[in-house]
Amino acid sequence: MSKKLFTSESVTEGHPDKMADQISDSILDALIEKDLRSRVAVETLLTNGVCIIAGEVTTSAYVDMAKIARDKIKEIGYDGCGFHHETSGVMIAIKEQSSDIARGVDSFKKKADGTIVAEDLENLGAGDQGLMFGFACDETPELMPLPIVLSHRICQRLAEVRKKNIIKGLRPDGKSQVTIEYIEGRPKRVHTVLVAAQHDPDKNGKTLESEIKSRVIQPVLKEYGYKIDSKTKIYINTAGRWVIGGPEGDTGLTGRKIIVDTYGGYARHGGGAFSGKDPSKVDRSGSYAARWVAKNIVASGLARKCEVQIAYAIGKPEPLSVYLESFGTSEISNEELERVVVQNFDLRPGKIIEKLGLRRPIYAKVAVYGHFGRGDLDLPWEDVSIANKLKSQRIKAIKDSSA
């Protein structure tokens, strides 16, 4: 039998990098809510006592970025445990988007006299060059890899037991890591669970370990039909005491958790971060579209595992390339699956924005605990309604490939 171990990690909303992502996306949401065509590229940096917001924004809207940042920091739970939403400094350094980029990306329908009638989404150019990956597999109901799903759920549960005071003495920063044992390519058991949880100075370490095991780890594993067996390794706060955390202990920056945001390293990544970017940036919309395609392929039964790559050039609407890999889990060839994708999905940036309704304030809620496989959220790129259409094409595709 072929056996392997695979590990993914996640972080809580109080992790400094994730705080930065949430602030950037909260600013994006506020701008889109007031001006849906806002062009936004906002970065946030957090360190001890300071929050710095910088980037490029072109919009007709005004939002109080400092207030948005402070409100998000308060919501996360930093009201005095080493970092405070009211007393920490907030610096803003925002300028307009480059006119050279805007000229290449924008596309409008005009009257004969040059008056703009409407935006031409069919010819909207990609906001940058780059390559994006999307992935899906049948390991979980969310059609996501099991290690990253369990890692996210453990971090979500860690935040829940803190906010509801189910476990007393927890602070906002935290991380999880899950190793799954695979036999012949299928998940069989939980090999290792690692949790790091920031806590108050007077919290007893042994008590915390017991509470996290019983109130966090075990319920999450049970939710997915797994359990701690006699060989499962559980590690909690392996460095011992962890009181100094969050921005007091570590600098946070937007875009530094791109593997946490996606598939936990299980699938490839094009390198572009999501948070703080409006959907004209294909780092974001192209990655969402690639996940949408891959998930529908798996949901349709055309493959048990699917990875999709899309590449773009700045200012050009049509993708430069579309590539699909089914890892030997499909009855038809990758080339035939690529033809199915091209026939059923319009992957021009403007049409992705239109089809998935991406000009809405929906981004702050995915800035933590993953952008994909979120059963707790109604996300347009997780919709599998096209799978029904693909199912009807499945038999024909199989017949054609065997003819």
Side-chain angles (χ1 to χ4, degrees):
M1 289 190 299
S2 170
K3 183 170 80 170
K4 73 173 185 179
L5 303 177
F6 193 88
T7 303
S8 294
E9 73 158 351
S10 183
V11 299
T12 67
E13 59 211 63
H15 186 283
D17 291 334
K18 271 291 140 208
M19 292 175 67
D21 286 343
Q22 291 170 87
I23 290 168
S24 292
D25 274 336
S26 295
I27 291 169
L28 170 64
D29 280 353
L31 288 166
I32 287 179
E33 192 167 24
K34 291 187 174 182
D35 176 6
L36 59 85
R37 287 201 295 269
S38 294
R39 292 291 167 80
V40 182
V42 170
E43 314 284 346
T44 302
L45 182 146
L46 291 147
T47 189
N48 192 16
V50 180
C51 172
I52 300 170
I53 298 165
E56 297 78 46
V57 174
T58 300
T59 184
S60 63
Y62 169 78
V63 299
D64 188 339
M65 294 186 185
K67 184 178 187 304
I68 291 170
R70 293 187 190 281
D71 287 348
K72 179 54 66 174
I73 294 165
K74 180 182 180 181
E75 178 187 320
I76 290 167
Y78 284 102
D79 55 1
C81 52
F83 193 83
H84 201 287
H85 63 95
E86 286 182 329
T87 59
S88 296
V90 179
M91 298 171 58
I92 312 290
I94 297 291
K95 59 183 182 297
E96 284 190 336
Q97 181 190 56
S98 163
S99 58
D100 292 339
I101 294 175
R103 190 181 306 113
V105 173
D106 290 338
S107 183
F108 298 99
K109 295 178 181 178
K110 300 179 181 180
K111 295 180 180 178
D113 63 0
T115 304
I116 293 175
V117 177
E119 188 175 29
D120 183 6
L121 286 176
E122 290 194 2
N123 295 301
L124 184 75
D128 202 351
Q129 70 176 55
L131 52 125
M132 296 82 213
F133 285 97
F135 182 79
C137 63
D138 64 354
E139 292 182 11
T140 61
E142 298 90 344
L143 302 186
M144 287 283 287
L146 180 62
I148 189 64
V149 168
L150 292 180
S151 296
H152 283 322
R153 286 293 297 119
I154 286 170
C155 279
Q156 282 181 305
R157 178 62 180 167
L158 196 60
E160 181 183 9
V161 298
R162 169 177 62 87
K163 291 180 175 180
K164 292 182 177 179
N165 211 27
I166 295 171
I167 296 179
K168 294 177 171 50
L170 283 175
R171 290 184 172 184
D173 203 351
K175 302 177 77 172
S176 69
Q177 188 169 288
V178 176
T179 302
I180 298 297
E181 182 180 300
Y182 286 79
I183 303 292
E184 300 296 338
R186 306 298 290 174
K188 290 300 179 183
R189 57 179 292 271
V190 177
H191 181 275
T192 304
V193 179
L194 172 65
V195 174
Q198 186 191 15
H199 58 83
D200 290 343
D202 58 353
K203 183 69 179 182
N204 180 273
K206 291 295 183 183
T207 301
L208 182 61
E209 286 183 29
S210 175
E211 289 176 326
I212 288 176
K213 183 177 178 180
S214 63
R215 299 296 185 96
V216 176
I217 297 172
Q218 288 177 332
V220 169
L221 298 190
K222 183 179 180 181
E223 180 183 345
Y224 283 86
Y226 292 87
K227 63 181 180 179
I228 299 172
D229 62 34
S230 60
K231 295 182 179 180
T232 303
K233 300 174 183 177
I234 304 293
Y235 298 109
I236 297 169
N237 283 3
T238 53
R241 170 186 166 100
W242 185 21
V243 174
I244 300 172
E248 182 189 19
D250 189 16
T251 297
L253 186 65
T254 299
R256 277 208 303 218
K257 286 292 177 281
I258 60 175
I259 300 303
V260 171
D261 284 342
T262 52
Y263 308 101
Y266 199 98
R268 285 174 282 195
H269 196 294
F274 301 156
S275 290
K277 298 176 182 177
D278 75 85
S280 74
K281 278 71 170 178
V282 284
D283 281 340
R284 177 157 233 160
S285 54
S287 296
Y288 290 171
R291 162 64 178 173
W292 179 48
V293 171
K295 188 175 182 184
N296 275 275
I297 291 289
V298 172
S300 72
L302 283 171
R304 288 192 296 105
K305 185 185 293 186
C306 180
E307 184 179 72
V308 174
Q309 185 201 57
I310 313 171
Y312 293 94
I314 190 167
K316 301 293 184 182
E318 295 289 344
L320 299 183
S321 66
V322 177
Y323 165 82
L324 186 145
E325 174 61 65
S326 62
F327 307 95
T329 66
S330 178
E331 298 174 88
I332 59 178
S333 68
N334 289 337
E335 291 78 10
E336 183 61 35
L337 286 171
E338 287 171 8
R339 283 192 284 272
V340 169
V341 170
V342 172
Q343 290 167 4
N344 289 277
F345 298 90
D346 191 336
L347 297 176
R348 290 173 291 176
K351 300 306 287 184
I352 294 170
I353 290 170
E354 182 179 59
K355 178 66 178 178
L356 298 183
L358 297 183
R359 283 180 170 161
R360 291 180 285 155
I362 58 175
Y363 298 111
K365 60 187 178 182
V366 293
V368 65
Y369 310 126
H371 292 245
F372 307 123
R374 296 293 299 276
D376 56 324
L377 301 174
D378 182 19
L379 302 174
W381 51 89
E382 294 295 311
D383 177 72
V384 291
S385 58
I386 291 180
N388 293 324
K389 181 181 177 182
L390 298 183
K391 285 177 184 176
S392 67
Q393 298 174 3
R394 181 170 180 251
I395 295 176
K396 181 179 183 301
I398 294 170
K399 286 180 178 178
D400 290 346
S401 65
S402 62

